[in-house]
Amino acid sequence: MHSHDYRKPEAFRGKRVVVVGDGPTVFDMIRDFSPLVVELTICCGRGDKLRFNLLGQWKKGYFPKNIKVVEQLSSVNFDTVTSSDGSVMTADVLICCTGYKHWYPFFDKSCGIVMENSSSRVRPLYKHTIHTKYHTIFMMGVMNNALDFTLPYLQVPMALKVLDGKLKLPSENEMNRETEKEYEDRLKSGLRPFNAHTFYTKNWNPQTFAKNLVDFAGIEDVLGPRKYDSLMLLTTRIRENCLQFRKLDYDQI
């Protein structure tokens, strides 16, 4: 099953559960399942070290005893699950916390919205936001990172300036060239096609993306350095111990 269909943990009481993924949904499942299941195994993805380092947290003994973390999923044969590090688990339930695909059925084909790489990349979007041909189409929140809920606060003012005619855009060809170059640079840096809109790496992160939008559009940085610092602190605390970050006190921003 996919985590999209997950509702209540009680259905998994007494079972051996294998979860594939390493994102925020997994934090909730660790918390929900640990008192109920016989065993919970987490198969991390290749991006675990870049994101929340669940394997590292498990090795430090931060998780309950009935939970273990292994490397990414290698194969499934009926109720037997094998990870890339050679670990073999017996599973009653396999839950995929593998993210979501972009899907926009309300767009007519004439809008020219294209999904590539198993719908992980949306184009043609300049600055991951503006349709390069039709400048009344804007995509908010396409980005894939832990702080993506903050970035539309900058995308919306930029879009309004475009609609008001106060922000002059480059030509369609120029925007497409810049967009493709960024995508190619991502692949050259070692990111996968799936990471076309990812912003949690050294070169592509929320702060640099936000600064790019602010500088390009000439808009106010309504998030401000203090908010970024607080949000990055939250990410740091999750990487340290994903079961404890909710219990900490944070400054109101």
Side-chain angles (χ1 to χ4, degrees), residues 18-19 21 41-45 48 55 58 68-73 81-89:
V18 174
V19 170
T41 303
I42 302 164
C43 293
C44 291
D48 178 50
L55 185 57
W58 174 71
K68 67 178 180 180
V69 182
V70 298
E71 294 184 4
Q72 64 184 5
L73 180 70
V81 179
T82 305
S83 67
S84 60
D85 60 10
S87 300
V88 179
M89 293 73 65

Side-chain angles (χ1 to χ4, degrees), residues 116-117 120-121 123 128 176-189 191-197 204:
E116 294 181 342
N117 306 324
S120 62
R121 185 190 183 202
R123 68 176 185 85
H128 302 266
N176 285 334
R177 278 198 299 269
E178 182 177 327
T179 300
E180 289 305 310
K181 183 180 185 307
E182 183 198 314
Y183 179 62
E184 291 170 4
D185 288 344
R186 286 170 175 265
L187 298 182
K188 289 177 182 177
S189 75
L191 294 177
R192 296 173 293 159
F194 176 80
N195 300 121
H197 303 291
W204 291 280

Side-chain angles (χ1 to χ4, degrees), residues 216-242:
F216 169 72
I219 56 178
E220 179 187 357
D221 188 354
V222 294
L223 300 178
R226 188 162 176 260
K227 289 184 174 65
Y228 292 128
D229 290 344
S230 297
L231 290 167
M232 292 311 296
L233 174 62
L234 173 60
T235 302
T236 300
R237 293 292 180 259
I238 294 173
R239 285 181 57 85
E240 291 173 351
N241 191 327
C242 69

Side-chain angles (χ1 to χ4, degrees), residues 79-162:
D79 62 350
T80 302
V81 179
T82 305
S83 67
S84 60
D85 60 10
S87 300
V88 179
M89 293 73 65
T90 301
D92 301 311
V93 181
L94 177 65
I95 304 177
C96 296
C97 303
T98 48
Y100 298 86
K101 295 180 179 180
H102 297 291
W103 185 52
Y104 307 105
F106 44 83
F107 278 120
D108 187 81
K109 289 184 179 180
S110 63
C111 294
I113 298 294
V114 178
M115 268 79 75
E116 294 181 342
N117 306 324
S118 298
S119 298
S120 62
R121 185 190 183 202
V122 185
R123 68 176 185 85
L125 294 182
Y126 184 57
K127 307 292 185 185
H128 302 266
T129 308
I130 306 168
H131 196 298
T132 60
K133 184 174 183 179
Y134 303 116
H135 304 158
T136 56
I137 297 178
F138 306 92
M139 309 289 277
M140 309 299 175
V142 168
M143 301 77 62
N144 170 27
N145 64 278
L147 308 178
D148 54 8
F149 58 87
T150 66
L151 295 174
Y153 283 97
L154 299 175
Q155 291 179 292
V156 170
M158 177 177 67
L160 290 175
K161 288 191 72 172
V162 174

